Amino acid sequence: MTDQAENPEQEPFPKIDTSVPHSARIWNYWLGGKDNYEVDRLAGDAFREIFPGIETGARAARYFLARAVRHLAAEEGIRQFLDIGTGLPNVDNTHQIAQRVAPESRIVYVDNDPLVLAHARALLTSTPEGVTNYVDANLREPGTIVREAGKTLDFDRPVALMLMGILGHIEDHDEARSIVRQLVDALPPGSYLVQYDSTDTSEDYVRAIQQYNDGGSVPYILRSPEQIARYFDGLELLEPGVASCSRWRPDAAALGLPAEVHQYGGVALKR
């Protein structure tokens, strides 16, 4: 493994606020990670008391990411991945899965969370043949994301755009769709969109999210599966379309997961 070049002009990391629960750290806690604080564990436990299925959903979403990346690298020949809102490092991140299949793969992670920035060195590893890089940018700045990612990725060749559990943080659905459209418009034909988010398909989940949002954290908006499907407008969905993450081409790793979780996603081709 080799470290790619760091950005010598990078600003110092902002102070990490450990007084308010943070979605990436709570998600890390539910997945069994250690990059979280007591405030996150308390919020995660309170959430789980209302909606006990959250850890199962978190695992299903993680396995969906792994299957989608593996499929695109192994079956569709994709060698470039733009992973926006990557969150905290965990087992089998996008670059590890892609480069296991194709060592020459190039991956750009995008986030603007200070804790994720602090862990960027863990993400900035790569096979000698490939490249892994990191962009500090906001999802609401698609032009900046494309410009900065273009320093590592070749936007004349297919790219897999990954928006995993991040669009729920855009409170207005039309704005979220507009961001997706701008990002997809920057991709050449032969590219793919990989996306999932949590849905409003459980009353308990809706109650748990409302409690979380009322606690002062950055709000997360649950949407219907039909609303999530709108992110793929104009693209060609791969089978089985937009589905519960545990139903999207399950493999041995997904055994033991329920057929239905409340995270829905899909993978679609740009013709």
Side-chain angles (χ1 to χ4, degrees):
M1 304 292 282
T2 61
D3 286 341
Q4 298 302 312
E6 298 178 31
N7 181 1
E9 300 178 357
Q10 189 176 38
E11 295 292 326
F13 298 137
K15 186 177 185 297
I16 296 169
D17 185 357
T18 61
S19 66
V20 177
H22 189 283
S23 61
R25 301 193 308 247
I26 296 171
W27 203 255
N28 175 268
Y29 171 55
W30 286 330
L31 287 169
K34 300 186 183 303
D35 296 312
N36 48 74
Y37 299 95
E38 183 178 7
V39 66
D40 308 305
R41 295 188 285 273
L42 291 173
D45 290 342
F47 195 108
R48 187 171 46 205
E49 284 182 14
I50 299 174
F51 183 67
I54 187 58
E55 289 179 339
T56 300
R59 290 199 308 274
R62 192 72 188 179
Y63 295 156
F64 166 68
L65 179 153
R67 294 195 304 278
V69 171
R70 194 159 48 241
H71 172 81
L72 292 178
E75 305 299 329
E76 307 295 346
I78 297 298
R79 297 294 180 264
Q80 302 189 107
F81 295 82
L82 177 57
D83 188 341
I84 301 175
T86 178
L88 293 167
N90 211 300
V91 176
D92 271 358
N93 301 288
T94 297
H95 70 285
Q96 294 164 316
I97 300 165
Q99 291 181 344
R100 196 175 298 139
V101 175
E104 70 275 20
S105 296
R106 304 174 75 85
I107 295 88
V108 171
Y109 291 106
V110 180
D111 212 305
N112 71 332
D113 179 85
L115 186 61
V116 178
L117 286 168
H119 285 78
R121 184 179 297 276
L123 288 176
L124 289 175
T125 58
S126 176
T127 57
E129 303 94 327
V131 175
T132 305
N133 214 335
Y134 189 92
V135 170
D136 178 6
N138 192 297
L139 176 61
R140 287 187 165 91
E141 303 170 344
T144 299
I145 290 173
V146 171
R147 183 183 69 248
E148 294 302 311
K151 297 175 182 178
T152 301
L153 305 179
D154 179 358
F155 279 88
D156 291 325
R157 296 172 52 236
V159 175
L161 168 65
M162 303 178 62
L163 297 166
M164 312 301 278
I166 189 68
L167 292 173
H169 288 298
I170 306 297
E171 295 188 52
D172 183 83
H173 187 233
D174 288 337
E175 182 185 0
R177 290 179 59 210
S178 175
I179 290 169
V180 175
R181 207 160 42 239
Q182 292 176 68
L183 291 167
V184 170
D185 284 349
L187 306 179
S191 296
Y192 288 83
L193 170 63
V194 185
Q195 194 275 329
Y196 88 83
D197 262 296
S198 297
T199 65
D200 59 4
T201 48
S202 161
E203 291 184 7
D204 288 343
Y205 203 173
V206 172
R207 286 197 302 116
I209 282 288
Q210 186 60 56
Q211 174 181 277
Y212 171 80
N213 290 346
D214 290 345
S217 301
V218 176
Y220 185 92
I221 307 303
L222 297 177
R223 297 195 163 103
S224 69
E226 292 76 20
Q227 286 177 305
I228 288 177
R230 295 302 307 276
Y231 297 137
F232 297 95
D233 284 354
L235 304 176
E236 184 179 306
L237 278 161
L238 304 188
E239 292 294 336
V242 174
S244 168
C245 284
S246 55
R247 292 181 184 269
W248 198 90
R249 305 191 179 196
D251 58 13
L255 291 178
L257 290 175
E260 190 73 15
V261 296
H262 301 286
Q263 287 70 31
Y264 273 63
V267 179
L269 168 67
K270 179 179 180 179
R271 288 290 186 185

